[in-house]
Amino acid sequence: MSVEAKLEVNGQTWTLPALEGSEGEKAVNISDLRLSTGYITLDEGYGNTGSCISKITFIDGEKGILRYRGIPIEELAEKSTFVETAYLIIYGSLPTDSQLAAFSDLLTQYSMLHEDMKFHFEGFPASAHPMAILSAMINAASCFDDKIMHWQWKNLKDFEAAAAKLISQVRTIAAYAYRKSRGLPFIYPKRTYKYTRNFLHMMFSAPDEDFEVKPEVAKALDLIFLLHADHEQNCSTSTVRMVASSQANLFASCSAGVCALWGPLHGGANQAVLEMLEQIHQTGDDGSRFIAAAKDKNSGKKLMGFGHRVYKNYDPRAKIIKKACDEVLAHLNISDPLLDIAKHLEAAALKDPYFVERKLYPNVDFYSGIIMRAIGIPVEMFPVIFAIGRMPGWIANYKEIMEDPKSRISRPRQVYIGKTLNHYVSLEQRQ
Ligand code: ACO
């Protein structure tokens, strides 16, 4: 059934095509609006704008639903692994045994960085934020592979290799960025270790002794990667799509995604949550003073890890992470006062009219930092962990653009409110 929408401006009516997605998401297609009417639509912050048609991830923010390729996040969290989920997200369906083995082999094959990349790491000061290093080094890595640097979408095989290389190397780069910041020698990846275990090895092993990884720890970090693997058209994914739409290469597009993710309102929120909890702890506040400040628009404070553009209900990932957080801390026999503060903050906020009326619930970042802290991951690496996890989602979105014969360069319009025609005045006359 074809659906239409009508737009009336100044007594004139235009008919616009409407469409409906497979989960009932309705949209009015305004692509040709300016051509036929002279009007553009204005939606600052894109809260009501669909920027693409996608088959990857479905979110129902009102109901708190998240599904990758149709599969609920809860099922994947319980039964899958990050690597298997990465395959699902990129290629559209769960892999068979042999597909998974081939994908894992590619990840192993590409885990080493080009040896010359070590010199690039050396150029960064020890104080450099690992997100800056990650973004720069993802771009740099493309320079060591001609096919990736002079990217042209030719065949799926080239893409598979590039995708596996990125997923594998982002982990090596991330671990190196951490070791660089601590002045520690780099630890090479080991072919026999699985994805997440290998990352922990590169982070924490000594040159002469492998770091002992408790299975619960590897599992918890793998879960964090999996829960971050995609989240439809958020700030960083939209950035990746924006850059990809110019036909930039996969590594360049995803390195831009890292920059977008870095900010405290997005992937940097997990770091900001921990810093907030530490500040609350150090000042002897039980959270009440911070909540009061977060409600005061003049304080410049927000309850970090709370609220979401799309979720107006409990973020389903936050529920899973909260449970995992309790389990990991119990396994490791850690009692963290920050976890108590977080739980207290959550309970207080969930019955505070300010947060209730605005439908502000904990998001994925609220508890993930406490798990990472328990594992021994330093706070500045939190957004890096997010970026490793998000790589399959960015890659899948990149692939979707490259495979779409109708894909166009992204180019929004604006409503100009600056000066009207104005003329150049010479320096002498400008007093
Ligand atoms: N603390 C206090 N007040 C908040 C918070 C918060 N964390 N989040 C939103 N609000 C308030 C806003 O001030 C606004 O109040 P108003 O209606 O009185 O003006 C109202 O709730 C609506 O919020 P918006 O600003 O419209 O929410 P928006 O969709 O623009 O922003 C965002 C979403 C950025 C996530 C916001 O909630 C926020 O800054 N949260 C804290 C940072 C954070 O946790 N980010 C992680 C997001 S999840 C992710 O990227 C993985």
Side-chain angles (χ1 to χ4, degrees):
M1 186 185 66
S2 81
V3 188
E4 287 176 344
K6 295 218 184 300
L7 174 73
E8 194 184 312
V9 185
N10 284 339
Q12 206 180 337
T13 306
W14 288 279
T15 304
L16 300 164
L19 63 157
E20 192 168 325
S22 54
E23 286 283 355
E25 185 81 72
K26 296 177 189 57
V28 176
N29 186 342
I30 50 94
S31 310
D32 293 329
L33 188 67
R34 187 171 180 276
L35 215 60
S36 53
T37 68
Y39 281 87
I40 61 165
T41 53
L42 179 64
D43 179 20
E44 289 182 72
Y46 306 133
N48 200 55
T49 293
S51 60
C52 62
I53 293 173
S54 176
K55 292 182 178 163
I56 305 167
T57 289
F58 171 66
I59 299 176
D60 183 329
E62 275 72 32
K63 295 192 185 130
I65 292 174
L66 168 61
R67 296 181 200 142
Y68 299 155
R69 301 287 187 179
I71 304 181
I73 192 68
E74 294 80 3
E75 280 179 36
L76 292 167
E78 192 193 327
K79 299 176 182 159
S80 187
T81 62
F82 173 64
V83 168
E84 186 186 54
T85 297
Y87 186 99
L88 165 75
I89 289 176
I90 298 172
Y91 298 106
S93 53
L94 287 167
T96 60
D97 250 5
S98 59
Q99 285 168 331
L100 186 59
F103 185 53
S104 300
D105 285 351
L106 278 182
L107 296 180
T108 306
Q109 184 186 328
Y110 289 125
S111 58
M112 294 266 193
L113 300 179
H114 192 288
E115 201 58 11
D116 288 352
M117 279 190 66
K118 275 185 174 174
F119 301 113
H120 291 273
F121 281 99
E122 276 168 23
F124 289 102
S127 58
H129 194 287
M131 283 298 263
I133 301 182
L134 190 70
S135 166
M137 295 307 271
I138 288 173
N139 232 337
S142 73
C143 305
F144 292 90
D145 184 323
D146 265 4
K147 263 194 181 153
I148 291 173
M149 194 172 55
H150 301 293
W151 181 260
Q152 275 185 326
W153 179 266
K154 285 211 184 89
N155 57 54
L156 194 62
K157 238 186 160 36
D158 284 352
F159 169 80
E160 280 170 1
K165 196 171 212 180
L166 185 50
I167 292 178
S168 192
Q169 295 197 345
V170 67
R171 164 192 60 164
T172 312
I173 294 171
Y176 279 22
Y178 163 73
R179 308 253 339 166
K180 160 78 196 169
S181 71
R182 301 289 145 119
L184 296 167
F186 297 148
I187 301 290
Y188 286 63
K190 240 185 188 165
R191 299 181 74 85
T192 48
Y193 287 161
K194 287 196 181 304
Y195 188 89
T196 302
R197 169 131 195 25
N198 215 348
F199 172 65
L200 288 163
H201 161 66
M202 287 188 274
M203 285 278 291
F204 299 124
S205 286
D208 54 352
E209 192 180 358
D210 278 11
F211 173 70
E212 197 203 319
V213 178
K214 292 200 167 76
E216 296 81 21
V217 166
K219 195 168 165 233
L221 187 57
D222 200 76
L223 176 70
I224 291 180
F225 288 150
L226 182 154
L227 292 177
H228 286 88
D230 194 40
H231 213 236
E232 56 121 301
Q233 303 313 315
N234 52 77
C235 175
S236 55
T237 304
S238 303
T239 301
V240 171
R241 284 190 86 114
M242 171 78 81
V243 178
S245 78
S246 77
Q247 306 275 312
N249 76 51
L250 177 70
F251 280 44
S253 305
C254 292
S255 119
V258 173
C259 294
L261 188 70
W262 188 1
L265 298 190
H266 191 13
N270 48 21
Q271 177 172 352
V273 169
L274 234 274
E275 285 160 0
M276 170 187 81
L277 295 174
E278 265 165 359
Q279 189 199 335
I280 293 173
H281 184 50
Q282 277 159 17
T283 53
D285 177 15
D286 66 349
S288 332
R289 271 187 276 146
F290 195 92
I291 287 200
K295 293 192 290 184
D296 174 4
K297 299 277 188 264
N298 299 318
S299 71
K301 290 200 161 52
K302 274 184 172 180
L303 186 52
M304 300 312 285
F306 252 73
H308 199 277
R309 173 61 61 82
V310 177
Y311 291 120
K312 301 300 165 200
N313 200 324
Y314 216 107
D315 178 339
R317 301 166 302 171
K319 268 191 202 151
I320 298 167
I321 287 243
K322 185 179 179 185
K323 187 163 162 273
C325 189
D326 280 331
E327 286 167 6
V328 173
L329 265 63
H331 268 300
L332 299 179
N333 209 8
I334 293 175
S335 145
D336 189 341
L338 299 196
L339 179 60
D340 299 334
I341 293 174
K343 285 187 172 169
H344 177 78
L345 275 179
E346 180 191 338
L350 290 182
K351 52 181 194 274
D352 186 308
Y354 174 95
F355 293 91
V356 175
E357 280 158 22
R358 289 169 178 76
K359 299 192 173 145
L360 300 170
Y361 291 86
N363 59 49
V364 67
D365 293 318
F366 197 63
Y367 287 105
S368 61
I370 297 173
I371 300 187
M372 289 192 265
R373 180 171 133 109
I375 294 176
I377 293 170
V379 76
E380 72 276 10
M381 284 293 286
F382 290 4
V384 172
I385 301 293
F386 191 154
I388 298 174
R390 184 54 54 86
M391 214 42 84
W394 291 341
I395 292 170
N397 275 274
Y398 185 91
K399 180 168 178 277
E400 216 166 54
I401 288 195
M402 294 297 151
E403 287 179 335
D404 178 3
K406 289 198 297 231
S407 162
R408 304 168 74 198
I409 189 163
S410 296
R411 204 319 186 170
R413 297 238 173 209
Q414 64 168 12
V415 176
Y416 176 73
I417 56 163
K419 287 183 180 161
T420 53
L421 184 62
N422 193 13
H423 291 288
Y424 183 83
V425 179
S426 68
L427 195 54
E428 303 81 68
Q429 289 175 315
R430 269 178 260 157
Q431 297 309 336

